[in-house]
Amino acid sequence: MTFNPTTDLPNLNTGESAVSILEGKIIKGAATTPGGNKTDSIYVKFEFKKVPGEQYEYAGYRRTGFQEDEH
């Protein structure tokens, strides 16, 4: 489960600058939460058109809803 590279997406947060998705993936069951539960992992690399060449990465995991994972 991967993200295809995409350019000039609208930045819905600020409405100012377009965003390009460079790469990304979702890995089923690859993350372990603070409570010790297994869940899906997500990773995305992106770039704002307003700041070319400066790349950002976002990584995290899917919320489980279990009380022991709510920190």
Side-chain angles (χ1 to χ4, degrees):
M1 296 173 46
T2 60
F3 296 83
N4 292 325
T6 307
T7 58
D8 294 329
L9 296 169
N11 182 343
L12 300 177
N13 189 41
T14 64
E16 293 177 7
S17 178
V19 176
S20 294
I21 303 296
L22 305 174
E23 63 181 82
K25 63 177 104 174
I26 297 172
I27 307 168
K28 294 288 216 174
T32 302
T33 65
N37 298 298
K38 288 297 215 179
T39 192
D40 301 341
S41 171
I42 186 170
Y43 162 81
V44 180
K45 186 186 285 187
F46 58 97
E47 177 180 85
F48 293 101
K49 187 175 185 177
K50 194 173 189 178
V51 190
E54 189 169 321
Q55 297 177 356
Y56 299 86
E57 295 180 4
Y58 172 82
Y61 57 87
R62 181 178 179 178
R63 184 177 177 205
T64 65
F66 295 126
Q67 185 62 37
E68 63 266 27
D69 293 330
E70 298 296 320
H71 291 275

